Amino acid sequence: MTTMYYDHDADLAALKGLHLAVLGYGSQGHAHALNLKDSGQQVCVGLREGSSSRSQAESEGLMVKTVAEAAAWGDIVMVLIPDQHQKKVYEAEIAPHLEAGNTLAFAHGFNIHYGQITAPPEVDVIMIAPKGPGHLVRRTFENGTGVPCLVAVHQDATGQAKNKALAWAKGIGGTRAGVIETNFKDETETDLFGEQAVLCGGSAELIKAGFETLVDAGYPPELAYFECLHEMKLIVDLYYEGGLARMNFSVSDTAEYGGLTRGKRIITDESRAAMKEILKEVQNGDFAREWIAENEKGQPNMTRLRQAEKDHPVEKIGRRLRKMMSWL
Ligand code: NAD
Ligand code: MG
């Protein structure tokens, strides 16, 4: 079992007297900045000139500076802007302001692991990655609990890198739930594999294939939508609350038996071989190189694929049916 860290394993003293700069005020940024401020820390948010988040952050009681000013002010600089913009922002606005003993922090390992960002050796490089979206990190903190986090140390120039990472995790509420130590490689590779094979890629293709099978067989697309997309949430909520067992316990015996006997025909040896291939492309850097090049070209492939997804019949019928759902 991996070691778990809780509140009593982390000491906010590791952040004492330090300036904490949070770059970006999106999903993660607002949660880290507000939780740390409420934990008594000296926090500042770094935003682009003219950012629409400036007034929001200020009205929530935070000091706001430009990205470069915040990077200069910060002893710990947490980079919470989109992963594909981090390299440029790092080179232009962060790197010039890093001093010996400073800490560069991330919530995902992509840019460090794939060599897009290389910090000078006299700087600590750490990760604090909540295993949930920012609004949940904020909401649970306000309720006195927290979201589990991963922490990792890539570079320990001061000998204090891990203490700082654990203290940051405590300051955002993570150690209330439990923190797992990992490394940048494992966090990055499992994260990319999960979103590609299972969460985003796998589940969306499963939904579309099921929907198309029913519609092609002549069933009304409305029914196909409910069965293959809408009800996915009920099932996922059960997984989330109590694993596969809770799902199987909660559905009818007929559904359970049908699933147990038929599911393996959907995820076949071929699907498993494809998963291994996807993992290999994550591990050998092929996916990262492709994604970096795609961004350098202005995301032409992404734009085309997004449009195709938007035009899929399951999306067209969904936009209509969701109007019936007053609670959405
Ligand atoms: P986001 O898109 O919600 O927010 C990004 C913020 O950066 C916004 O405030 C945006 O205005 C700002 N920004 C965009 N481009 C910028 C630029 N060029 N210069 C300065 N600011 C810029 O992003 P997010 O989802 O909070 O992700 C931030 C980091 O957290 C990423 O590394 C991501 O992988 C990681 N992460 C996200 C989640 C999640 O659930 N969203 C969970 C764990 C880790
Ligand atoms: Mg992720």
Side-chain angles (χ1 to χ4, degrees):
M1 270 305 268
T2 357
T3 320
M4 300 280 287
Y5 297 93
Y6 295 97
D7 272 347
H8 59 266
D9 303 309
D11 191 348
L12 287 173
L15 304 178
K16 194 168 162 38
L18 298 185
H19 287 171
L20 312 183
V22 174
L23 307 185
Y25 204 65
S27 174
Q28 290 295 324
H30 89 284
H32 287 240
L34 291 170
N35 292 3
L36 287 163
K37 175 174 76 71
D38 291 348
S39 295
Q41 303 304 309
Q42 301 182 69
V43 181
C44 143
V45 177
L47 295 174
R48 281 176 292 189
E49 305 278 357
S51 163
S52 57
S53 303
R54 173 176 274 270
S55 55
Q56 177 76 28
E58 283 174 344
S59 74
E60 292 177 301
L62 289 157
M63 172 167 47
V64 177
K65 295 175 181 291
T66 65
V67 171
E69 286 165 0
W73 177 86
D75 298 299
I76 302 184
V77 180
M78 171 56 100
V79 186
L80 296 177
I81 64 177
D83 297 299
Q84 69 270 26
H85 300 316
Q86 291 182 4
K87 178 186 167 71
K88 258 200 187 126
V89 172
Y90 173 78
E91 286 168 359
E93 296 167 87
I94 304 173
H97 305 291
L98 286 177
E99 291 166 33
N102 282 175
T103 302
L104 192 59
F106 297 88
H108 176 41
F110 188 97
N111 285 290
I112 291 291
H113 179 59
Y114 292 115
Q116 297 301 290
I117 293 176
T118 307
E122 65 275 14
V123 162
D124 291 345
V125 180
I126 62 176
M127 170 165 49
I128 302 96
K131 290 283 94 186
H135 66 263
L136 194 64
V137 174
R138 179 59 183 158
R139 176 153 47 89
T140 52
F141 180 87
E142 288 183 297
N143 293 338
T145 61
V147 170
C149 293
L150 302 181
V151 299
V153 172
H154 174 71
Q155 208 162 280
D156 187 6
T158 65
Q160 288 301 310
K162 185 170 163 184
N163 288 339
K164 287 189 260 187
L166 286 172
W168 189 288
K170 184 173 188 168
I172 64 171
T175 46
R176 293 172 179 170
V179 165
I180 297 172
E181 187 173 8
T182 181
N183 56 66
F184 277 61
K185 174 184 184 291
D186 285 1
E187 185 276 340
T188 304
E189 293 177 355
T190 55
D191 191 70
L192 292 175
F193 173 80
E195 60 205 20
Q196 294 174 16
V198 181
L199 306 175
C200 310
S203 76
E205 289 306 317
L206 185 64
I207 287 170
K208 285 187 282 183
F211 176 87
E212 287 167 15
T213 302
L214 287 175
V215 172
D216 290 350
Y219 295 99
E222 290 82 359
L223 269 61
Y225 176 86
F226 279 117
E227 286 308 323
C228 300
L229 189 148
H230 179 82
E231 289 190 26
M232 185 68 93
K233 172 168 168 47
L234 312 176
I235 298 301
V236 170
D237 283 350
L238 294 165
Y239 287 150
Y240 191 76
E241 288 161 14
L244 303 178
R246 185 168 173 90
M247 188 280 284
N248 278 321
F249 171 78
S250 185
V251 300
S252 69
D253 282 0
T254 312
E256 183 181 359
Y257 180 76
L260 289 170
T261 55
R262 267 54 180 179
K264 284 193 166 52
R265 284 159 57 182
I266 298 301
I267 303 300
T268 59
D269 288 346
E270 213 180 316
S271 325
R272 287 170 187 271
M275 284 190 175
K276 288 203 175 112
E277 237 169 85
I278 286 169
L279 180 58
K280 202 173 286 163
E281 291 167 17
V282 165
Q283 291 169 328
N284 67 20
D286 281 352
F287 172 77
R289 276 185 289 278
E290 178 183 323
W291 176 225
I292 290 160
E294 170 73 5
N295 280 294
E296 280 163 1
K297 285 180 285 193
Q299 301 191 342
N301 213 14
M302 176 93 142
T303 308
R304 187 176 51 76
L305 293 167
R306 260 189 193 146
Q307 188 59 47
E309 195 87 331
K310 202 173 157 209
D311 293 341
H312 191 279
V314 78
E315 288 291 86
K316 289 189 172 153
I317 194 85
R319 284 191 284 272
R320 258 206 303 120
L321 289 177
R322 286 190 297 273
K323 292 200 179 110
M324 295 162 61
M325 303 174 199
S326 61
W327 64 92
L328 291 180

